[in-house]
Amino acid sequence: FAAAAAAAAAAAPSAAAPPPRRHSLERAFGVLLSVNFLVFWAVPIFGMGQAYHLGLKHVLRPLYDRLDRSAALRRFAAAYVYNKPAHADFAATAVLTFLSTTVAFGVALRYQLVHGHLPWALHAAYNCAWVGIGGRMMGSAYTFAHKEGHNGVLYQRWVRRTVGNLFENWVGLLYGNVPYNFTTSHNHIHHALDGGKGDTFYCYDLDRSSLSDFMLYQRRIFLHMAGLSSLRYFRLRGMHKQERLLARGCAIFWLAFPLPLLLLTRSPWFLCVVWLQPLCAMSFFLALVNWAFHAFIELDASGRHLPHVNALTILDGQDDNFGEDDHMAHHYETPIAHARSRHDAWRARIMPELKANRASIFKEISIVELGILTLLGQFERIAERHYVDFSGELSTAQVAEMLRRRARTKESTHEEYLAWEAETEAALLASPPPKDD
């Protein structure tokens, strides 16, 4: 399986400056993903979010807080699950996310096996459970996969040897995540390049305030989510350890998980609901999230990125999940931290740079809302309500104009970037094969 997946990725055509028809096809793919998201996922995500914020949080939050403060749960998590006692902070949310996901999947699977079909009402209910109250299940499934990918010793040794990364490699199969994608692609491409040229999440050849360009971008993210673009990246650069690990993940996601499920249920529709639809949903969703996290760019006199501009921070966001809203610290604090207290201390240390560079810091908004407002060009609203100007020197109009300029700034045109990508790949293919690591 792994060899087949790797060979397929290596055989994929290299990028080249595309004809207009290819642009049209790429945009059409983005439109299809967007329409699919609007039809199947927008209502569950919006509805579950509003249900929480407009009322359910007053009932559910005290219950969650009681579980989160449970001394017994924290003692057990610290003693038997996590490698550091501080990580017991994750326990309550991890338990709820795992239980919600497995119960929802189990109910849907049992109904399919007993009745031979999955009715639309149960499909809708499954999507709502997949999202979770306030979006907490989809958010937490992604967050924990992200943290597992960054921290190879998050869990105690017995967990690592038996279960491994629970959310990245198991639960993630139901959330459109190829196993080992964070351990390999996210760490060794996205963080190695900090969103720069060559990144499978790269967006600086596109106008982040353009809906049309966002349609182009979605194909790039889908190829990342599928594991294909990252496999090619690793093979061309001789990163064989990462290539083999991700190829194993691709084999699991594309063959070992869906084929037995199809044979068991004999229902392509069921497979679409629980396996393919989550991949499409998360491809769109992560495209929007990364589009927002890296929406703004400022280049210095030598053409280099200002790091406190090209990755942003949200303060007091309602939907922050264990510090994920501080994407700036996530990229540029060394070592990478996931605790809000460490982010705050780091921000205080670099405050002179944040003021001088008019850093990308916002408040009281979710990353999804910021992405939507940026796409719609609502920079006056962002400037007035959400931008944090630590310098205190800019008017609302000046902030809006600065954000508009930064969102529209490109390192190159889309065609120039694809030509650069093609030239880079050609040079790598022409060079001596790298030694196996």
Side-chain angles (χ1 to χ4, degrees):
F1 284 160
S14 60
R21 184 171 179 272
R22 175 174 164 181
H23 275 335
S24 298
L25 291 174
E26 290 176 347
R27 283 196 174 90
F29 182 80
V31 169
L32 285 175
L33 276 185
S34 301
V35 170
N36 180 80
F37 186 85
L38 291 173
V39 170
F40 291 103
W41 298 102
V43 171
I45 289 173
F46 179 80
M48 298 298 277
Q50 291 304 300
Y52 177 76
H53 288 298
L54 296 180
L56 285 179
K57 67 180 179 182
H58 302 296
V59 176
L60 298 178
R61 187 72 200 191
L63 297 176
Y64 168 80
D65 288 341
R66 182 176 297 180
L67 177 64
D68 187 43
R69 291 194 298 264
S70 168
L73 176 62
R74 285 179 170 269
R75 279 197 304 270
F76 178 85
Y80 300 107
V81 179
Y82 295 106
N83 215 19
K84 293 183 178 179
H87 292 145
D89 287 349
F90 303 151
T93 304
V95 167
L96 291 174
T97 303
F98 178 76
L99 289 177
S100 175
T101 302
T102 53
V103 168
F105 176 71
V107 168
L109 180 60
R110 177 171 174 76
Y111 192 98
Q112 174 68 41
L113 294 176
V114 171
H115 300 281
H117 72 285
L118 198 65
W120 280 100
L122 187 55
H123 178 191
Y126 180 82
N127 284 8
C128 289
W130 185 94
V131 171
I133 299 294
R136 289 305 190 266
M137 296 304 102
M138 65 180 294
S140 296
Y142 174 86
T143 293
F144 290 133
H146 184 201
K147 293 187 183 300
E148 289 171 346
H150 274 294
N151 189 346
V153 291
L154 179 66
Y155 299 116
Q156 292 193 12
R157 182 176 299 176
W158 76 268
V159 178
R160 301 197 302 270
R161 289 181 173 179
T162 55
V163 178
N165 285 350
L166 175 64
F167 289 92
E168 183 186 19
N169 299 336
W170 297 97
V171 175
L173 290 169
L174 297 172
Y175 280 90
N177 186 62
V178 169
Y180 307 106
N181 214 349
F182 284 98
T183 299
T184 58
S185 306
H186 184 75
N187 286 346
H188 296 278
I189 301 177
H190 184 59
H191 276 276
L193 300 172
D194 285 321
K197 281 187 172 183
D199 188 2
T200 50
F201 268 78
Y202 184 72
C203 63
Y204 297 130
D205 59 328
L206 301 168
D207 177 352
R208 277 81 63 204
S209 65
S210 166
L211 279 168
S212 176
D213 280 10
F214 183 65
M215 296 303 117
L216 278 177
Y217 186 60
Q218 288 184 66
R219 176 182 175 274
R220 190 174 292 169
I221 300 305
F222 185 85
L223 291 176
H224 168 92
M225 292 291 292
L228 299 179
S229 56
S230 300
L231 275 176
R232 184 170 182 82
Y233 181 97
F234 291 139
R235 168 158 288 198
L236 288 171
R237 290 158 179 81
M239 300 171 70
H240 302 303
K241 178 180 178 181
Q242 289 76 24
E243 180 195 357
R244 286 191 294 267
L245 193 57
L246 183 57
R248 184 194 306 171
C250 287
I252 293 169
F253 185 84
W254 291 106
L255 296 173
F257 176 63
L259 290 184
L261 198 58
L262 180 60
L263 292 173
L264 176 66
T265 62
R266 303 190 179 189
S267 172
W269 174 245
F270 181 84
L271 196 64
C272 176
V273 169
V274 303
W275 172 70
L276 186 59
Q277 273 291 341
L279 171 65
C280 294
M282 289 304 283
S283 292
F284 175 92
F285 191 76
L286 291 183
L288 181 61
V289 167
N290 192 72
W291 194 256
F293 272 136
H294 295 280
F296 307 105
I297 183 175
E298 190 82 64
L299 304 176
D300 63 16
S302 60
R304 292 176 299 186
H305 292 213
L306 293 182
H308 306 123
V309 174
N310 80 347
L312 61 81
T313 291
I314 296 175
L315 306 175
D316 301 321
Q318 287 186 328
D319 296 319
D320 184 30
N321 210 342
F322 297 106
E324 294 286 302
D325 272 357
D326 198 340
H327 206 64
M328 184 191 302
H330 180 62
H331 269 276
Y332 296 112
E333 182 181 3
T334 304
I336 293 173
H338 293 277
R340 292 188 188 93
S341 58
R342 281 190 55 183
H343 290 178
D344 293 341
W346 177 75
R347 196 178 307 115
R349 289 197 303 272
I350 63 168
M351 185 57 68
E353 297 170 64
L354 300 181
K355 290 179 178 179
N357 294 326
R358 270 75 175 197
S360 297
I361 298 181
F362 303 86
K363 65 179 181 180
E364 299 169 359
I365 189 172
S366 73
I367 190 61
V368 173
E369 291 172 309
L370 185 59
I372 292 171
L373 291 176
T374 300
L375 269 175
L376 297 177
Q378 296 295 306
F379 297 107
E380 284 75 17
R381 177 172 174 174
I382 298 172
E384 181 180 358
R385 301 184 183 182
H386 304 295
Y387 183 73
V388 179
D389 178 17
F390 284 122
S391 73
E393 298 173 351
L394 301 179
S395 67
T396 298
Q398 288 174 319
V399 170
E401 183 54 37
M402 177 186 71
L403 295 177
R404 181 177 289 106
R405 174 178 55 78
R406 287 176 170 181
R408 293 177 176 174
T409 296
K410 304 176 187 179
E411 285 190 299
S412 65
T413 67
H414 185 56
E415 291 77 10
E416 288 169 343
Y417 177 67
L418 293 183
W420 173 87
E421 209 173 32
E423 291 169 5
T424 301
E425 291 192 358
L428 290 168
L429 287 168
S431 62
K435 294 183 179 179
D436 196 319
D437 56 2

